[in-house]
Amino acid sequence: MIPRYDFRERVMHWLTAIAYSYCLLTGLAFYSPHLFWIAQVLGGAPTSRFWHPISGVAFLLTSVWMHSIWHRQMEVTEADREWLDHTRDYAENHDKSVPPADRFNAGQKLFYWLMFYSAVALLITGIIMWFPEYVPFSLEWIRQLAIFLHVCAALVTIGAFIVHVYMGVFFVPGSSTAMLFGYVPAAWARTHHRLWYNRVAGAKPEAVQEK
């Protein structure tokens, strides 16, 4: 077994996931009357309305914490661009045709940046909606634009979140377990993140390919 995520990274990840999930559920309740039952389940409309923006702030803060730890590892490299050229092979489980990835592959990096910038957009637009009394009547268009952009950013993150969960739980078994317990089998690391495996295991690429 190889250590993949330390305790700090796992706490950071799950706090971010919890904050986002609460924002997601309460936001869906406010988005459509057909989903308003979610607010009732979460304690009622006033409770959901009170905690939704606060959890949004928590989501951004945990995202900033994550950014302070992972941002250098999330830089897109030439190897990532080559990996993206073989996205179809990855989706079809043609692992031998997919270029080796580092600790995070290009898809994970794109998800990271999408969620990070969306968190910033959601907070900025959310603050305008949170304190509408500070928007002059003559600038009502700003509030309307903020609502539109808030919904757009939320829908983008929802799509990315669904893909992220599917990939971690079903498409690449072992990913979610790694985020729970911190370790992955050497064979898993060698298959999905070979560049990272070579570095942490001290293995030579030729030896890994022979295996």
Side-chain angles (χ1 to χ4, degrees), residues 175-190:
S175 298
S176 56
T177 305
M179 191 53 76
L180 283 171
F181 303 107
Y183 289 85
V184 293
W188 185 96
R190 189 168 57 246

Side-chain angles (χ1 to χ4, degrees), residues 30 40 70 114 121 143 183 205:
F30 303 144
Q40 299 296 336
W70 281 352
L114 186 150
R143 191 171 69 87
Y183 289 85

Side-chain angles (χ1 to χ4, degrees), residues 63-168:
S63 296
V64 170
W65 181 22
M66 182 181 293
H67 188 68
S68 68
I69 297 173
W70 281 352
H71 72 281
R72 293 189 182 279
Q73 300 179 56
M74 293 298 176
E75 294 178 357
V76 177
T77 65
E78 190 59 38
D80 294 320
R81 295 185 182 91
E82 184 181 356
W83 190 96
L84 289 172
D85 291 336
H86 293 265
T87 302
R88 182 171 181 176
D89 291 323
Y90 180 77
E92 295 177 352
N93 278 325
H94 298 158
D95 293 333
K96 293 183 178 180
S97 301
V98 179
D102 211 317
R103 190 184 187 203
F104 299 102
N105 63 41
Q108 291 171 312
K109 292 180 178 181
L110 292 180
F111 171 77
Y112 169 86
W113 289 113
L114 186 150
M115 295 298 286
F116 178 77
Y117 286 118
S118 293
V120 175
L122 287 168
L123 182 70
I124 294 174
T125 56
I127 288 176
I128 297 174
M129 298 162 60
W130 196 0
F131 303 104
E133 63 272 17
Y134 293 102
V135 179
F137 183 77
S138 59
L139 298 177
E140 175 64 16
W141 65 271
I142 292 180
R143 191 171 69 87
Q144 297 300 325
L145 179 62
I147 293 173
F148 174 74
L149 294 177
H150 195 81
V151 171
C152 289
L155 292 176
V156 168
T157 64
I158 290 171
F161 180 71
I162 292 173
V163 173
H164 181 65
V165 172
Y166 171 77
M167 296 292 289

Side-chain angles (χ1 to χ4, degrees), residues 22-23 26 42 45-57:
Y22 187 86
C23 285
T26 51
L42 295 175
T47 300
S48 297
R49 172 64 182 83
F50 177 81
W51 286 108
H52 178 81
I54 294 176
S55 63
V57 173

